[in-house]
Amino acid sequence: MVRGKRFRTKRLWHNTKAWSYVGSALVMAGIIGSFSTGKVLFIVIPVMILLAGYVMAYLRDRGNECQYIVDEKGLWLRTTGTDLRAGFDEIIDASLVDRSASRDYIRQFIKDEEAKQVTRAREQAFVRFCSVDIGLRSFTFGLGRRIIDRMPNSKDDLVLLRLSGGRHLVLSPQYNQDLVDTLTRALVSQRGRTNSVAG
């Protein structure tokens, strides 16, 4: 049984909220088109698009249910089918980051000449313990991403975790500052003990 301080992931439903704006505009345009032409098809098509969009948005927003546990040995990341144990000697640092900055960060490490499957694998590894869609892929040619980035709660900070060996992960704890503070204190304490033993 692992004991330690546990952090659960947050849910922001950015895509669902963004689609509600876009979908409402489509339906309104359909209603206007239906009244002006007398054809019901102008309402049916936007409603079908609206429903399909909601399903896709929900699936993207649902994300992974993750747990982050800080104990005496380090950080334990858990999600369905995947666990990762990072000892304090492997953790470089943890810092707050928003959606846009986290996208920019991972793209620094992806070369243009990389094959698409390699790029996709690296992106998936980066967000595998994150429950928030950071917008690495857009079905709306970036329009939805721009809408979400301007939402009031889109600045809710995520946590960028840097590990040894050039590994990077973005996390989405409900209490992001608390996780960063807990990890920082644990790292300082662990390194202090290591220095005292070495001395």
Side-chain angles (χ1 to χ4, degrees):
M1 179 85 174
V2 175
R3 296 191 176 185
K5 190 164 185 179
R6 294 170 182 260
F7 299 86
R8 294 190 178 277
T9 46
K10 66 176 69 175
R11 292 276 185 261
L12 296 179
W13 306 105
H14 283 144
N15 290 295
T16 306
K17 291 174 184 175
W19 184 248
S20 68
Y21 302 145
V22 176
S24 298
L26 283 174
V27 171
M28 286 301 298
I31 291 172
I32 293 170
S34 180
F35 278 129
S36 62
T37 62
K39 295 181 180 179
V40 181
L41 192 63
F42 281 94
I43 294 180
V44 173
I45 292 176
V47 168
M48 291 176 65
I49 294 173
L50 176 68
L51 294 176
Y54 267 128
V55 170
M56 292 177 66
Y58 171 78
L59 291 175
R60 293 193 70 170
D61 281 334
R62 186 179 59 179
N64 297 322
E65 184 66 36
C66 307
Q67 276 192 356
Y68 317 124
I69 304 169
V70 181
D71 59 20
E72 69 279 358
K73 295 181 180 179
L75 176 63
W76 190 18
L77 306 174
R78 301 178 61 191
T79 188
T80 307
T82 306
D83 282 20
L84 175 66
R85 166 69 79 175
F88 288 121
D89 59 331
E90 298 176 80
I91 300 172
I92 297 173
D93 61 25
S95 57
L96 298 179
V97 65
D98 62 19
R99 274 172 40 98
S100 177
S102 61
R103 287 196 307 267
D104 293 342
Y105 185 85
I106 188 58
R107 284 171 178 164
Q108 292 177 42
F109 300 95
I110 296 175
K111 299 177 181 177
D112 293 337
E113 62 270 18
E114 280 185 346
K116 287 184 179 180
Q117 58 268 30
V118 175
T119 296
R120 185 61 174 158
R122 295 186 72 176
E123 289 175 347
Q124 286 178 335
F126 182 62
V127 298
R128 63 182 159 151
F129 296 105
C130 181
S131 62
V132 175
D133 178 18
I134 67 170
L136 288 172
R137 290 285 179 272
S138 176
F139 296 121
T140 58
F141 305 101
L143 176 62
R145 183 163 50 213
R146 285 192 292 273
I147 292 173
I148 292 170
D149 284 348
R150 287 172 172 77
M151 286 183 177
N153 66 343
S154 69
K155 296 299 180 185
D156 283 0
D157 294 309
L158 305 173
V159 173
L160 176 65
L161 179 69
R162 295 194 306 146
L163 303 174
S164 60
R167 294 173 294 162
H168 323 278
L169 295 168
V170 64
L171 312 178
S172 53
Q174 193 169 11
Y175 302 107
N176 38 50
Q177 184 66 63
D178 193 13
L179 175 59
V180 170
D181 290 345
T182 300
L183 270 177
T184 301
R185 284 194 300 269
L187 285 169
V188 169
S189 174
Q190 180 72 16
R191 287 164 186 169
R193 285 196 297 269
T194 302
N195 290 338
S196 112
V197 169

mmCIF file of all heavy atoms in Angstrom, residues 133-170:
data_model
loop_
_atom_site.group_PDB
_atom_site.id
_atom_site.type_symbol
_atom_site.label_atom_id
_atom_site.label_comp_id
_atom_site.label_asym_id
_atom_site.label_seq_id
_atom_site.Cartn_x
_atom_site.Cartn_y
_atom_site.Cartn_z
ATOM 1 N N ASP A 133 -7.170 18.594 -22.374
ATOM 2 C CA ASP A 133 -6.745 18.660 -23.771
ATOM 3 C C ASP A 133 -5.979 19.966 -23.981
ATOM 4 O O ASP A 133 -6.557 21.049 -23.872
ATOM 5 C CB ASP A 133 -7.971 18.600 -24.685
ATOM 6 C CG ASP A 133 -7.614 18.709 -26.163
ATOM 7 O OD1 ASP A 133 -6.432 18.498 -26.506
ATOM 8 O OD2 ASP A 133 -8.511 19.007 -26.971
ATOM 9 N N ILE A 134 -4.688 19.877 -24.281
ATOM 10 C CA ILE A 134 -3.880 21.101 -24.425
ATOM 11 C C ILE A 134 -3.869 21.627 -25.859
ATOM 12 O O ILE A 134 -3.221 22.623 -26.151
ATOM 13 C CB ILE A 134 -2.437 20.892 -23.922
ATOM 14 C CG1 ILE A 134 -1.682 19.902 -24.805
ATOM 15 C CG2 ILE A 134 -2.431 20.444 -22.468
ATOM 16 C CD1 ILE A 134 -0.186 19.834 -24.510
ATOM 17 N N GLY A 135 -4.577 20.943 -26.762
ATOM 18 C CA GLY A 135 -4.736 21.467 -28.118
ATOM 19 C C GLY A 135 -3.630 21.110 -29.080
ATOM 20 O O GLY A 135 -3.357 21.863 -30.016
ATOM 21 N N LEU A 136 -2.986 19.951 -28.886
ATOM 22 C CA LEU A 136 -1.950 19.528 -29.832
ATOM 23 C C LEU A 136 -2.546 19.161 -31.188
ATOM 24 O O LEU A 136 -1.889 19.289 -32.216
ATOM 25 C CB LEU A 136 -1.188 18.322 -29.263
ATOM 26 C CG LEU A 136 -0.242 18.630 -28.101
ATOM 27 C CD1 LEU A 136 0.297 17.342 -27.498
ATOM 28 C CD2 LEU A 136 0.894 19.524 -28.558
ATOM 29 N N ARG A 137 -3.787 18.710 -31.196
ATOM 30 C CA ARG A 137 -4.482 18.358 -32.432
ATOM 31 C C ARG A 137 -5.782 19.137 -32.499
ATOM 32 O O ARG A 137 -6.506 19.255 -31.511
ATOM 33 C CB ARG A 137 -4.794 16.858 -32.483
ATOM 34 C CG ARG A 137 -3.552 15.996 -32.652
ATOM 35 C CD ARG A 137 -3.036 16.076 -34.088
ATOM 36 N NE ARG A 137 -1.833 15.293 -34.282
ATOM 37 C CZ ARG A 137 -0.607 15.721 -34.089
ATOM 38 N NH1 ARG A 137 -0.420 16.941 -33.657
ATOM 39 N NH2 ARG A 137 0.439 14.951 -34.321
ATOM 40 N N SER A 138 -6.100 19.697 -33.659
ATOM 41 C CA SER A 138 -7.320 20.474 -33.820
ATOM 42 C C SER A 138 -8.083 19.986 -35.041
ATOM 43 O O SER A 138 -7.514 19.820 -36.117
ATOM 44 C CB SER A 138 -6.986 21.969 -33.984
ATOM 45 O OG SER A 138 -8.146 22.705 -34.228
ATOM 46 N N PHE A 139 -9.390 19.751 -34.860
ATOM 47 C CA PHE A 139 -10.246 19.346 -35.974
ATOM 48 C C PHE A 139 -10.863 20.556 -36.672
ATOM 49 O O PHE A 139 -11.606 20.421 -37.625
ATOM 50 C CB PHE A 139 -11.376 18.430 -35.476
ATOM 51 C CG PHE A 139 -10.873 17.134 -34.902
ATOM 52 C CD1 PHE A 139 -11.163 16.784 -33.598
ATOM 53 C CD2 PHE A 139 -10.103 16.263 -35.666
ATOM 54 C CE1 PHE A 139 -10.701 15.588 -33.063
ATOM 55 C CE2 PHE A 139 -9.632 15.065 -35.132
ATOM 56 C CZ PHE A 139 -9.932 14.735 -33.833
ATOM 57 N N THR A 140 -10.563 21.750 -36.159
ATOM 58 C CA THR A 140 -11.182 22.964 -36.709
ATOM 59 C C THR A 140 -10.125 23.912 -37.278
ATOM 60 O O THR A 140 -10.332 25.120 -37.301
ATOM 61 C CB THR A 140 -11.992 23.686 -35.622
ATOM 62 O OG1 THR A 140 -11.124 23.993 -34.530
ATOM 63 C CG2 THR A 140 -13.143 22.826 -35.130
ATOM 64 N N PHE A 141 -8.998 23.354 -37.706
ATOM 65 C CA PHE A 141 -7.910 24.144 -38.299
ATOM 66 C C PHE A 141 -7.422 25.251 -37.367
ATOM 67 O O PHE A 141 -7.055 26.332 -37.791
ATOM 68 C CB PHE A 141 -8.345 24.736 -39.647
ATOM 69 C CG PHE A 141 -8.849 23.707 -40.609
ATOM 70 C CD1 PHE A 141 -10.208 23.533 -40.806
ATOM 71 C CD2 PHE A 141 -7.971 22.870 -41.286
ATOM 72 C CE1 PHE A 141 -10.680 22.554 -41.678
ATOM 73 C CE2 PHE A 141 -8.435 21.892 -42.155
ATOM 74 C CZ PHE A 141 -9.789 21.730 -42.355
ATOM 75 N N GLY A 142 -7.451 24.959 -36.056
ATOM 76 C CA GLY A 142 -6.944 25.910 -35.069
ATOM 77 C C GLY A 142 -7.969 26.883 -34.527
ATOM 78 O O GLY A 142 -7.707 27.584 -33.559
ATOM 79 N N LEU A 143 -9.180 26.933 -35.142
ATOM 80 C CA LEU A 143 -10.196 27.879 -34.684
ATOM 81 C C LEU A 143 -10.631 27.564 -33.255
ATOM 82 O O LEU A 143 -10.679 28.444 -32.387
ATOM 83 C CB LEU A 143 -11.408 27.850 -35.621
ATOM 84 C CG LEU A 143 -12.600 28.725 -35.203
ATOM 85 C CD1 LEU A 143 -12.199 30.184 -35.162
ATOM 86 C CD2 LEU A 143 -13.779 28.517 -36.157
ATOM 87 N N GLY A 144 -10.952 26.276 -33.000
ATOM 88 C CA GLY A 144 -11.370 25.882 -31.655
ATOM 89 C C GLY A 144 -10.279 26.118 -30.631
ATOM 90 O O GLY A 144 -10.547 26.546 -29.507
ATOM 91 N N ARG A 145 -9.036 25.870 -31.015
ATOM 92 C CA ARG A 145 -7.904 26.087 -30.115
ATOM 93 C C ARG A 145 -7.803 27.560 -29.729
ATOM 94 O O ARG A 145 -7.567 27.891 -28.573
ATOM 95 C CB ARG A 145 -6.621 25.606 -30.791
ATOM 96 C CG ARG A 145 -5.390 25.712 -29.924
ATOM 97 C CD ARG A 145 -4.268 24.858 -30.482
ATOM 98 N NE ARG A 145 -4.050 25.084 -31.893
ATOM 99 C CZ ARG A 145 -3.657 24.165 -32.762
ATOM 100 N NH1 ARG A 145 -3.452 22.929 -32.361
ATOM 101 N NH2 ARG A 145 -3.481 24.447 -34.041
ATOM 102 N N ARG A 146 -8.000 28.451 -30.702
ATOM 103 C CA ARG A 146 -7.922 29.886 -30.413
ATOM 104 C C ARG A 146 -9.061 30.330 -29.500
ATOM 105 O O ARG A 146 -8.860 31.167 -28.605
ATOM 106 C CB ARG A 146 -7.936 30.687 -31.724
ATOM 107 C CG ARG A 146 -6.615 30.633 -32.480
ATOM 108 C CD ARG A 146 -6.568 31.655 -33.596
ATOM 109 N NE ARG A 146 -7.501 31.348 -34.667
ATOM 110 C CZ ARG A 146 -7.231 30.556 -35.691
ATOM 111 N NH1 ARG A 146 -6.039 29.972 -35.768
ATOM 112 N NH2 ARG A 146 -8.122 30.333 -36.631
ATOM 113 N N ILE A 147 -10.258 29.763 -29.714
ATOM 114 C CA ILE A 147 -11.398 30.099 -28.847
ATOM 115 C C ILE A 147 -11.115 29.660 -27.417
ATOM 116 O O ILE A 147 -11.321 30.407 -26.460
ATOM 117 C CB ILE A 147 -12.697 29.435 -29.365
ATOM 118 C CG1 ILE A 147 -13.121 30.050 -30.702
ATOM 119 C CG2 ILE A 147 -13.817 29.567 -28.342
ATOM 120 C CD1 ILE A 147 -14.291 29.351 -31.360
ATOM 121 N N ILE A 148 -10.612 28.430 -27.263
ATOM 122 C CA ILE A 148 -10.343 27.890 -25.924
ATOM 123 C C ILE A 148 -9.248 28.686 -25.227
ATOM 124 O O ILE A 148 -9.352 29.000 -24.037
ATOM 125 C CB ILE A 148 -9.946 26.400 -26.019
ATOM 126 C CG1 ILE A 148 -11.151 25.569 -26.468
ATOM 127 C CG2 ILE A 148 -9.429 25.891 -24.679
ATOM 128 C CD1 ILE A 148 -10.818 24.136 -26.812
ATOM 129 N N ASP A 149 -8.191 29.050 -25.946
ATOM 130 C CA ASP A 149 -7.084 29.786 -25.336
ATOM 131 C C ASP A 149 -7.515 31.152 -24.810
ATOM 132 O O ASP A 149 -6.836 31.730 -23.957
ATOM 133 C CB ASP A 149 -5.945 29.964 -26.347
ATOM 134 C CG ASP A 149 -5.148 28.685 -26.557
ATOM 135 O OD1 ASP A 149 -5.319 27.740 -25.764
ATOM 136 O OD2 ASP A 149 -4.371 28.627 -27.526
ATOM 137 N N ARG A 150 -8.655 31.667 -25.318
ATOM 138 C CA ARG A 150 -9.142 32.968 -24.863
ATOM 139 C C ARG A 150 -10.196 32.855 -23.765
ATOM 140 O O ARG A 150 -10.683 33.865 -23.267
ATOM 141 C CB ARG A 150 -9.720 33.748 -26.053
ATOM 142 C CG ARG A 150 -8.647 34.275 -26.993
ATOM 143 C CD ARG A 150 -9.247 34.864 -28.258
ATOM 144 N NE ARG A 150 -8.258 35.533 -29.081
ATOM 145 C CZ ARG A 150 -7.377 34.927 -29.856
ATOM 146 N NH1 ARG A 150 -7.358 33.601 -29.922
ATOM 147 N NH2 ARG A 150 -6.503 35.599 -30.578
ATOM 148 N N MET A 151 -10.551 31.628 -23.396
ATOM 149 C CA MET A 151 -11.534 31.448 -22.320
ATOM 150 C C MET A 151 -10.942 31.881 -20.980
ATOM 151 O O MET A 151 -9.745 31.722 -20.753
ATOM 152 C CB MET A 151 -11.965 29.979 -22.228
ATOM 153 C CG MET A 151 -12.886 29.541 -23.331
ATOM 154 S SD MET A 151 -13.392 27.812 -23.070
ATOM 155 C CE MET A 151 -14.524 27.630 -24.456
ATOM 156 N N PRO A 152 -11.804 32.424 -20.088
ATOM 157 C CA PRO A 152 -11.290 32.904 -18.785
ATOM 158 C C PRO A 152 -10.552 31.840 -17.984
ATOM 159 O O PRO A 152 -9.570 32.134 -17.311
ATOM 160 C CB PRO A 152 -12.574 33.343 -18.055
ATOM 161 C CG PRO A 152 -13.548 33.636 -19.139
ATOM 162 C CD PRO A 152 -13.231 32.687 -20.255
ATOM 163 N N ASN A 153 -11.024 30.575 -18.040
ATOM 164 C CA ASN A 153 -10.394 29.544 -17.219
ATOM 165 C C ASN A 153 -9.340 28.747 -17.971
ATOM 166 O O ASN A 153 -8.829 27.755 -17.462
ATOM 167 C CB ASN A 153 -11.442 28.588 -16.632
ATOM 168 C CG ASN A 153 -12.137 27.775 -17.718
ATOM 169 O OD1 ASN A 153 -12.078 28.123 -18.889
ATOM 170 N ND2 ASN A 153 -12.803 26.706 -17.320
ATOM 171 N N SER A 154 -8.987 29.176 -19.185
ATOM 172 C CA SER A 154 -7.964 28.437 -19.931
ATOM 173 C C SER A 154 -6.573 28.690 -19.367
ATOM 174 O O SER A 154 -5.620 28.009 -19.710
ATOM 175 C CB SER A 154 -7.988 28.830 -21.414
ATOM 176 O OG SER A 154 -7.549 30.153 -21.585
ATOM 177 N N LYS A 155 -6.448 29.682 -18.502
ATOM 178 C CA LYS A 155 -5.166 29.972 -17.867
ATOM 179 C C LYS A 155 -4.981 29.170 -16.585
ATOM 180 O O LYS A 155 -3.988 29.351 -15.890
ATOM 181 C CB LYS A 155 -5.042 31.474 -17.564
ATOM 182 C CG LYS A 155 -5.022 32.348 -18.819
ATOM 183 C CD LYS A 155 -3.854 32.010 -19.715
ATOM 184 C CE LYS A 155 -3.845 32.880 -20.959
ATOM 185 N NZ LYS A 155 -2.784 32.489 -21.906
ATOM 186 N N ASP A 156 -5.963 28.317 -16.249
ATOM 187 C CA ASP A 156 -5.780 27.426 -15.095
ATOM 188 C C ASP A 156 -4.511 26.633 -15.346
ATOM 189 O O ASP A 156 -4.412 25.900 -16.322
ATOM 190 C CB ASP A 156 -6.971 26.473 -14.953
ATOM 191 C CG ASP A 156 -8.176 27.157 -14.344
ATOM 192 O OD1 ASP A 156 -8.065 28.352 -14.036
ATOM 193 O OD2 ASP A 156 -9.219 26.507 -14.191
ATOM 194 N N ASP A 157 -3.553 26.803 -14.480
ATOM 195 C CA ASP A 157 -2.222 26.268 -14.750
ATOM 196 C C ASP A 157 -2.159 24.749 -14.694
ATOM 197 O O ASP A 157 -2.773 24.113 -13.841
ATOM 198 C CB ASP A 157 -1.213 26.844 -13.755
ATOM 199 C CG ASP A 157 -1.025 28.332 -13.945
ATOM 200 O OD1 ASP A 157 -0.770 28.741 -15.082
ATOM 201 O OD2 ASP A 157 -1.135 29.064 -12.956
ATOM 202 N N LEU A 158 -1.382 24.207 -15.607
ATOM 203 C CA LEU A 158 -0.995 22.814 -15.589
ATOM 204 C C LEU A 158 0.387 22.759 -14.934
ATOM 205 O O LEU A 158 0.938 23.790 -14.536
ATOM 206 C CB LEU A 158 -0.947 22.266 -17.011
ATOM 207 C CG LEU A 158 -2.242 22.432 -17.821
ATOM 208 C CD1 LEU A 158 -2.021 22.016 -19.273
ATOM 209 C CD2 LEU A 158 -3.377 21.646 -17.213
ATOM 210 N N VAL A 159 0.940 21.572 -14.814
ATOM 211 C CA VAL A 159 2.269 21.426 -14.210
ATOM 212 C C VAL A 159 3.190 20.745 -15.210
ATOM 213 O O VAL A 159 2.862 19.683 -15.744
ATOM 214 C CB VAL A 159 2.202 20.599 -12.909
ATOM 215 C CG1 VAL A 159 3.603 20.300 -12.388
ATOM 216 C CG2 VAL A 159 1.386 21.325 -11.847
ATOM 217 N N LEU A 160 4.307 21.382 -15.483
ATOM 218 C CA LEU A 160 5.329 20.806 -16.347
ATOM 219 C C LEU A 160 6.352 20.100 -15.467
ATOM 220 O O LEU A 160 6.987 20.729 -14.611
ATOM 221 C CB LEU A 160 6.010 21.891 -17.183
ATOM 222 C CG LEU A 160 7.179 21.419 -18.057
ATOM 223 C CD1 LEU A 160 6.688 20.459 -19.137
ATOM 224 C CD2 LEU A 160 7.882 22.618 -18.696
ATOM 225 N N LEU A 161 6.498 18.786 -15.679
ATOM 226 C CA LEU A 161 7.439 17.982 -14.909
ATOM 227 C C LEU A 161 8.610 17.605 -15.806
ATOM 228 O O LEU A 161 8.429 16.999 -16.857
ATOM 229 C CB LEU A 161 6.742 16.720 -14.389
ATOM 230 C CG LEU A 161 7.593 15.754 -13.574
ATOM 231 C CD1 LEU A 161 7.958 16.359 -12.221
ATOM 232 C CD2 LEU A 161 6.857 14.426 -13.383
ATOM 233 N N ARG A 162 9.815 17.984 -15.394
ATOM 234 C CA ARG A 162 11.012 17.628 -16.160
ATOM 235 C C ARG A 162 11.772 16.540 -15.414
ATOM 236 O O ARG A 162 12.088 16.693 -14.233
ATOM 237 C CB ARG A 162 11.903 18.857 -16.370
ATOM 238 C CG ARG A 162 11.249 19.919 -17.236
ATOM 239 C CD ARG A 162 12.250 20.951 -17.708
ATOM 240 N NE ARG A 162 12.987 21.544 -16.594
ATOM 241 C CZ ARG A 162 14.251 21.922 -16.657
ATOM 242 N NH1 ARG A 162 14.947 21.769 -17.769
ATOM 243 N NH2 ARG A 162 14.846 22.473 -15.597
ATOM 244 N N LEU A 163 12.060 15.453 -16.146
ATOM 245 C CA LEU A 163 12.763 14.313 -15.570
ATOM 246 C C LEU A 163 14.112 14.128 -16.247
ATOM 247 O O LEU A 163 14.347 14.653 -17.343
ATOM 248 C CB LEU A 163 11.930 13.036 -15.729
ATOM 249 C CG LEU A 163 10.516 13.055 -15.139
ATOM 250 C CD1 LEU A 163 9.769 11.778 -15.513
ATOM 251 C CD2 LEU A 163 10.564 13.226 -13.631
ATOM 252 N N SER A 164 14.982 13.391 -15.621
ATOM 253 C CA SER A 164 16.290 13.115 -16.206
ATOM 254 C C SER A 164 16.126 12.313 -17.490
ATOM 255 O O SER A 164 15.102 11.667 -17.715
ATOM 256 C CB SER A 164 17.148 12.332 -15.210
ATOM 257 O OG SER A 164 16.515 11.104 -14.874
ATOM 258 N N GLY A 165 17.139 12.371 -18.332
ATOM 259 C CA GLY A 165 17.084 11.647 -19.601
ATOM 260 C C GLY A 165 16.270 12.370 -20.660
ATOM 261 O O GLY A 165 15.841 11.756 -21.636
ATOM 262 N N GLY A 166 16.014 13.670 -20.456
ATOM 263 C CA GLY A 166 15.275 14.443 -21.454
ATOM 264 C C GLY A 166 13.801 14.113 -21.519
ATOM 265 O O GLY A 166 13.153 14.348 -22.536
ATOM 266 N N ARG A 167 13.246 13.573 -20.433
ATOM 267 C CA ARG A 167 11.818 13.241 -20.400
ATOM 268 C C ARG A 167 11.018 14.423 -19.862
ATOM 269 O O ARG A 167 11.446 15.097 -18.927
ATOM 270 C CB ARG A 167 11.574 12.003 -19.541
ATOM 271 C CG ARG A 167 12.180 10.724 -20.114
ATOM 272 C CD ARG A 167 12.046 9.585 -19.124
ATOM 273 N NE ARG A 167 12.835 9.816 -17.931
ATOM 274 C CZ ARG A 167 12.653 9.178 -16.770
ATOM 275 N NH1 ARG A 167 11.674 8.295 -16.660
ATOM 276 N NH2 ARG A 167 13.435 9.424 -15.742
ATOM 277 N N HIS A 168 9.849 14.662 -20.475
ATOM 278 C CA HIS A 168 8.998 15.780 -20.087
ATOM 279 C C HIS A 168 7.556 15.283 -20.015
ATOM 280 O O HIS A 168 7.103 14.533 -20.877
ATOM 281 C CB HIS A 168 9.058 16.918 -21.106
ATOM 282 C CG HIS A 168 10.421 17.131 -21.695
ATOM 283 N ND1 HIS A 168 11.398 17.852 -21.071
ATOM 284 C CD2 HIS A 168 10.967 16.675 -22.846
ATOM 285 C CE1 HIS A 168 12.494 17.849 -21.808
ATOM 286 N NE2 HIS A 168 12.260 17.132 -22.900
ATOM 287 N N LEU A 169 6.828 15.726 -18.999
ATOM 288 C CA LEU A 169 5.424 15.360 -18.845
ATOM 289 C C LEU A 169 4.636 16.590 -18.424
ATOM 290 O O LEU A 169 5.136 17.427 -17.663
ATOM 291 C CB LEU A 169 5.254 14.276 -17.771
ATOM 292 C CG LEU A 169 5.880 12.903 -18.043
ATOM 293 C CD1 LEU A 169 5.867 12.074 -16.771
ATOM 294 C CD2 LEU A 169 5.130 12.183 -19.156
ATOM 295 N N VAL A 170 3.409 16.707 -18.930
ATOM 296 C CA VAL A 170 2.519 17.757 -18.444
ATOM 297 C C VAL A 170 1.432 17.074 -17.616
ATOM 298 O O VAL A 170 0.864 16.064 -18.015
ATOM 299 C CB VAL A 170 1.931 18.603 -19.595
ATOM 300 C CG1 VAL A 170 1.038 17.797 -20.516
ATOM 301 C CG2 VAL A 170 1.156 19.794 -19.042
#
